[in-house]
Amino acid sequence: KETNISITYLDANFPFINGFPLLPHLSHNDGKKVDLSFMYLDKNGNPTDKKPSISGYGVFSNSEDNYTSKTCIDKGYWQYDYSKYLTFGTINDLTLDKNKTKTLIQNLVNKSQTQKLFIEPHLKQSLGLNNETKIRFHGCRAVRHDDHIHLQIK
């Protein structure tokens, strides 16, 4: 497996006050949770460290046919796709690099320090990560996780 991957983190903990999350991530309050960017390909199919939005959030993978997103929103969880309003602008036309994203996730879940990792169920399936017990659905009360990886360590 390829392990020489540059990782971009998007959000962790508010750096000045212990126990205070970096909003809007209410669970990022103990230094054990971090959001990581997916891996992307540019329009020529080359790997890039660019992100599809300024914030790194809100540009969803397979957003039109995401059963989980529709189900959560239909159940009244209005905040589920709220991060689409937090992009601060879409800046790059990129495609999810499924191979490198899968490699990154597999390397993370194989670490003993990893407690759990959140991505959308449709990505877990399409990336072929069905047997990974640390990869979980975060529930409808959180925001979507098909624009980033949420990693929690022990």
Side-chain angles (χ1 to χ4, degrees):
K1 287 185 179 184
E2 180 180 343
T3 58
N4 187 18
I5 295 176
S6 295
I7 298 173
T8 301
Y9 76 92
L10 304 172
D11 175 357
N13 196 58
F14 193 73
F16 307 112
I17 303 170
N18 285 339
F20 188 81
L22 185 59
L23 298 174
H25 295 93
L26 300 179
S27 71
H28 292 213
N29 62 357
D30 60 6
K32 295 184 178 195
K33 296 155 188 107
V34 63
D35 287 344
L36 304 173
S37 176
F38 290 145
M39 304 288 117
Y40 291 98
L41 300 170
D42 66 19
K43 60 184 174 185
N44 297 317
N46 298 314
T48 181
D49 61 353
K50 294 180 180 179
K51 307 302 161 230
S53 71
I54 292 172
S55 69
Y57 294 103
V59 177
F60 306 118
S61 173
N62 298 330
S63 61
E64 297 304 317
D65 57 346
N66 185 338
Y67 174 79
T68 304
S69 177
K70 181 175 176 2
T71 301
C72 288
I73 292 168
D74 287 351
K75 288 181 178 180
Y77 295 100
W78 59 269
Q79 82 292 345
Y80 196 73
D81 66 350
Y82 189 76
S83 57
K84 68 184 175 188
Y85 301 112
L86 302 174
T87 63
F88 301 118
T90 302
I91 55 173
N92 296 302
D93 183 20
L94 304 175
T95 304
L96 179 67
D97 184 337
K98 289 185 175 186
N99 291 330
K100 280 194 175 183
T101 299
K102 178 179 180 175
T103 298
L104 171 60
I105 291 171
Q106 287 174 322
N107 279 300
L108 291 170
V109 297
N110 286 333
K111 301 291 183 195
S112 62
Q113 302 93 328
T114 297
Q115 183 177 11
K116 56 187 162 183
L117 183 143
F118 295 146
I119 60 171
E120 289 292 314
H122 75 87
L123 282 175
K124 183 177 177 181
Q125 182 179 6
S126 70
L127 294 175
L129 298 166
N130 296 324
N131 297 326
E132 305 290 349
T133 58
K134 293 180 183 180
I135 302 172
R136 302 187 186 158
F137 174 57
H138 47 281
C140 291
R141 288 189 173 99
V143 295
R144 292 172 65 158
H145 286 80
D146 56 351
D147 60 349
H148 69 282
I149 298 165
H150 172 97
L151 175 67
Q152 181 172 325
I153 61 171
K154 295 177 184 177

